[in-house]
Amino acid sequence: LIKIQECEEIIEKYESAAQEKGSDYQALMDELSKAKIQAGLVPMEGPGVVVTVNNLFISDIDGGQIVQSVHYEDLLKLVNELNAAGAEAIAINDERIIATTEIRNAGDYIVINTNRHSVPFEIKAIGNPDNLEAALKLLGGVVDHLGEILDIKIKTVDKLVIPGYDGIINYKFARPLQDKKS
């Protein structure tokens, strides 16, 4: 298993060596920094939205309560809508969403990055707050439909902090394609 911490230690060694060799390696360092950001490995900050998703309790005719529960599909729909609206970094309950993130049901919990979570769910997304909010509140859109069965609150904020991914990235079968010259 390849652990993020082990990779970061290797990167630090390369960074130290490159800095000692001078500015010839600055372009390489810049590319490395960009790659780490795009992979979701570093914390990010910026403006955006906070979406709180909770179960909805509805009174029935007999005076009892019916609970409408949050399902993993609901979170996926919200994350997809935020991505489509230009979100640059997303986290659910401080679990950074990256390409390999799983969001799935596991009993009474929803698992995100192999960690169990339950309501309420707090989705943070960095991007243009007005665009993100407008996409979520679109008439007939995701929140319009989910708002009928869940308690959803949306708040725009000037500064959010989203953590970097700190889980395990493990490739057993996939490897980079070797470029073959013809």
Side-chain angles (χ1 to χ4, degrees):
L1 295 178
I2 298 174
K3 296 183 181 177
I4 297 293
Q5 185 176 8
E6 291 170 357
C7 291
E8 287 175 346
E9 289 171 5
I10 292 167
I11 289 169
E12 284 178 30
K13 287 179 186 176
Y14 285 127
E15 287 173 344
S16 301
Q19 288 174 356
E20 290 173 11
K21 297 201 181 213
S23 63
D24 293 342
Y25 294 92
Q26 190 57 45
L28 177 62
M29 299 308 297
D30 291 344
E31 286 302 313
L32 176 61
S33 179
K34 285 180 193 175
K36 288 169 67 174
I37 289 169
Q38 290 174 342
L41 302 179
V42 295
M44 301 294 283
E45 68 177 356
V49 296
V50 177
V51 182
T52 306
V53 184
N54 208 339
N55 294 338
L56 185 63
F57 297 91
I58 302 169
S59 297
D60 66 11
I61 298 171
D62 300 327
Q65 284 193 333
I66 300 170
V67 179
Q68 298 287 349
S69 298
V70 178
H71 297 282
Y72 79 98
E73 297 100 335
D74 305 326
L75 298 178
L76 286 172
K77 288 175 185 175
L78 290 163
V79 167
N80 285 338
E81 191 64 38
L82 289 165
N83 276 324
E88 297 172 0
I90 300 174
I92 301 176
N93 290 3
D94 286 330
E95 295 282 351
R96 180 67 174 267
I97 305 301
I98 64 169
T100 59
T101 295
E102 85 286 0
I103 301 174
R104 62 185 179 85
N105 283 343
D108 292 336
Y109 299 95
I110 294 179
V111 175
I112 305 166
N113 290 334
T114 71
N115 296 308
R116 298 183 327 174
H117 296 274
S118 59
V119 293
F121 292 95
E122 183 179 69
I123 303 171
K124 296 177 186 175
I126 293 176
N128 181 312
D130 296 330
N131 291 351
L132 298 175
E133 181 182 36
L136 291 171
K137 291 183 173 181
L138 189 64
L139 186 61
V142 173
V143 172
D144 198 21
H145 286 110
L146 291 178
E148 295 175 7
I149 58 169
L150 298 173
D151 180 19
I152 300 177
K153 293 177 178 57
I154 302 169
K155 174 174 66 169
T156 61
V157 292
D158 294 330
K159 183 179 178 186
L160 281 174
V161 175
I162 293 181
Y165 178 77
D166 65 354
I168 295 171
I169 298 176
N170 183 18
Y171 290 101
K172 290 181 182 178
F173 302 101
R175 59 185 166 273
L177 180 65
Q178 299 300 315
D179 189 27
K180 295 184 180 188
K181 307 218 178 199
S182 3

